[in-house]
Each structure stands twice: as structure tokens, then as C-alpha cells.
Amino acid sequence: MEWETVIGLEVHAQLSTKTKIFSGASTQFGADPNTQACAIDLGLPGVLPVLNKEAVEMAIKFALGAHATVQHKSVFARKNYFYPDLPKGYQISQYDRPIVSHGYIDIQLEDGEAKRINLTRAHLEEDAGKSLHEDFHGLTGIDLNRAGTPLLEIVSEPEMRTAKEAVAYLKALRTLVRYLEICDGNMQEGSFRCDANVSVRPKGEEKLGTRTELKNINSFRFVERAINFEIERQINVIENGGTITQETRLYDPNKNETRPMRSKEEAHDYRYFPDPDLLPVVIAEELIEKVKRELPELPQEKRDRFMQQYGLSAYDADILVSSKELADYYEEAVKVSGNHPKLAANWVISELLGVLNKNNLEITESPIEAAELGHLVARIADETISGKIAKTIFECLWEKEGSVDDIIEKRGLKQVTDTAAIEKLIDEIIANNPAQTADYRAGKEKLFGFFVGQAMKASGGKMNPKQLNELLKKKLQG
Ligand code: ADP
Ligand code: MG
């Protein structure tokens, strides 16, 4: 039997507001426990929440960036449940009237295909506090600093078919919220969290299978692994005559498996109802227009511009716009290179990103500055150095040995382009290798490589390859 996988993602993006969604307490990360929770976040009697306008504007920004609809009227609702990190006994969220609906994210698949993933909705809500288990023997500590932090929950349609598509969607979504500057996208710190809903069905079947919801997947790698584990598990269960239970499952990265957390039977009845302390959110068209005017160039627009302006492939452009910082780096390098966009793209993508990844560094932490990489490209383009020598210089730049021109000068790496000097060297090589010369002239053309090698060795790789080839051919012909 052939199976088809169905995946829908729920993403919680922590909004980068200065203060909380319903109080004036700071949202700064890393403060001492319970120093950033005010009476409202603690849910003390008699307090009233006041909606943070910045959070609303960020939701509007998201809607505009994701081609979605801003609802002119949305409603906050109470989601009731008991947990120690939720002192009010309810979370303020949105239920049947979310602030954002529809929209889509376009993803780029590895085979070069593009696919559109539709969004169902995005709604505003407050985060809960944190339970701390580690430092408390037999007890649980509660830190309410995170309580009331604004979240945008972004819900996709069940339109992804592989774990790789899910990762591509998540990456595109994270790139978007970072461009919009509404979320820092940090998965480790939990400011960009994902729950994956996964089901399988026989290929060709229209009805969706029973889904499970996977939690605790806080890196792209874990998202892919958790989904793939879950697909296999579900198929196994069904093929062995069992049925899938709708439940929440926890991913364990150490064992690379998912296991049940709570089933539908134990699932909470949240008794949603409109929050009587908060008025409906009414958004005027003028506010939407204002936010629209302030929107930066977004990833897809930038990608299209890079393809047009710099003649890049969709694949290369997609990589370069994956973060705004990387795109800026590239454009700076192109400018300094004297307008050699394709060569600059090759050096950024194949060389720089390669070593950055190997060393686990972000583009903002690159030891080689954009202007310096641009200089390097300029020196290749004006034939001061060969591509091969450029790799040596690149390594020197990485080690902070100085500027490109300094390194060329100090290490004597300038390419030999003086025809007379090249000819002199060729004459010497021909004189020193009479047997090979005779064989070549007798028709053994494969020996050409031998002469190129000799010349490169004698010049320390600095010979201009094009000139060398031409002159060598002429001289060998005699
Ligand atoms: P809930 O609010 O209970 O989590 P939703 O209907 O809002 O349920 O769905 C949450 C997510 O689950 C959405 O991203 C949706 O696309 C996805 N989803 C719903 N049904 C399925 C299914 N059968 N298989 C995979 N994903 C699903
Ligand atoms: Mg859910």
C-alpha cells in the first residue's frame, strides 16, 4: 500500500515588543526570575489588561507580508485551564475571531519547484510563565517573567506532504518574520516554536487520516526527524492492524522518537468565551495603510530583484535573501567588486557560507568583511590574481592577515601577466624537457598538461592561465 503524509504546522512567534501584550512590564530576555512580572501578569484581583498597540501593528505587518487579510474586527477570548505557570487560570487568546486570516507562504523545494502553502489564520495571544524543575529538589519553581509576552500563533492548512516541505515552510516563515522585524526567530531560546500535526492516508484517499500533534521540536533538524519518525510509526501501526489515536506526542531528541503526552480523552475543555475585560479590536483602514507604507523590501521581492538586477539563478538568489544581513553583505560585496555580481555570488555562497557553516558562525560574525570579499572579487576580475590564488588569499583574510592588497603584496601573489616573462619561462621548460617536447611534437598531445603543470610549479601558481595556455601552445608547435 502506498501512503501519503499530511502535515499542518502551528507556529508560535514571540513578538519583539518592548513591553508585554497587556501590561507595561518589560519583555527583555534573561532577567532574574519574577523581576519582570507586574500585577497584571500575576493575575492579581482587580487589575485590568490594556492591549499593546505595537503587538497589533506587528500582526498587521505579518498579514501584509503573508498576503493575508487583516480583520477589521477581532475578539480576545479566555482559554480556561489550570496550571501553576498560569496564575489567572486562563490564557487570553483569540478564538473564532482572529486578527489575521488566510494568506500564504511560497516555498522553494530542492528540485527547484515552488509550492504555495496556505495559511488558515494567525491570532494574538499571551504566553504563560515557565516551570523550573532543575534547581528545586522535589519542588517546582515558577518564573512568571514570560507570562504576558505577546505571541502570534500562525496556523497553516494541512498542505505539506513531506518533512522537508515542512522545514522549507518554517524557514520561509522565519525569514519573513525577521525581515518584518516582528520576531527574532530564535528557536533555541523559544521565541519561534513549532507544533507539527501529522497524519497519513492511503494515496488517492481524500479523507484526512487521524492526526497526532508533535511538541518539543526546537530546531529545524528536530522538526525533520520528529516528523519522519512519526510518519513511519503511524504507517507501522496501521499496517499492523492498529489505529492512530488523536493525541499530543512529545519528541525526544536523544532517543529520536515521539511518545504520548496526552490523549484526546484527557484533553482540556477550554470553555472559550469572549474576554469581558477587553473590547473587540477594531482596526481602521488608515492604520493598515500606514503600516503598509513602512514595510521594508520583503524576501520574495528582494529575490526577484536579485535575479533581475544581478542575473542570478532563482536558487542562488533564494540563498542570498534567506536573511536580510546576508543579502546586505552580498550587495556590499558586489558594489566593491566593481559590479561582478555572479562572481561575488559564487564567492559568498560556495566559499564564505561554507566556512561559516563549518564554524557555526552567522554572517554577522564573519571574520571577512563584505568590502574585503568585494576587493578579492575585484582582483580576480581585473586578473591581478587567479581564482586558485584567490582561495589562498581567502584563507589569509579568514585568519585576519590584513587586506587583500596587503596580502598580495606581502606574499608576492601577483599574477604573472607579462608576456615576455611567461615566454622566457616556457623556453626554459622546453629546453629542460627535450624528450617530452619531442613526444608532444610527434603527436602525443596529452603531454600538454605536463607543460602547464611545470610552468605553474615554476611560477608558484601565479601564471595567468589563459595567457600561459596560448603562449605554450604556440611555443610547443615550434
Ligand atoms: P487544534 O486547534 O485542535 O490544534 P486545528 O483544526 O486548528 O486544531 O488544526 C491545527 C493544525 O493541524 C492546523 O495546522 C491544521 O492544518 C492541522 N491539521 C488538521 N487536521 C490535520 C490532519 N488530519 N493531518 C495533519 N494535519 C492536520
Ligand atoms: Mg493544536
XYZ file of all heavy atoms in Angstrom, residues 10 197 211 213, ligand 2:
38
model
N 1.551 24.584 13.393
C 1.153 25.720 14.224
C 2.441 26.333 14.764
O 3.207 25.653 15.437
C 0.276 25.258 15.386
C -1.072 24.716 14.932
C -1.748 23.907 16.020
O -1.440 22.711 16.145
O -2.571 24.469 16.748
N 1.456 18.915 13.203
C 0.343 17.960 13.134
C 0.602 17.031 11.958
O 0.805 17.497 10.834
C -0.981 18.702 12.930
C -1.317 19.564 14.135
O -1.953 19.118 15.063
N -0.837 20.808 14.123
N -4.819 12.593 13.124
C -3.515 13.225 13.282
C -3.013 13.140 14.712
O -3.789 13.021 15.656
C -3.607 14.689 12.891
C -4.311 15.519 13.943
C -4.473 16.949 13.506
N -5.747 17.468 13.958
C -5.854 18.486 14.824
N -4.769 19.071 15.283
N -7.025 18.910 15.197
N -0.222 15.420 17.249
C 0.425 16.726 17.305
C 1.756 16.563 18.019
O 1.795 16.080 19.152
C -0.488 17.710 18.054
C 0.070 19.115 18.104
C -0.950 20.119 18.661
O -2.158 19.805 18.680
O -0.522 21.210 19.075
Mg -3.256 22.443 18.071
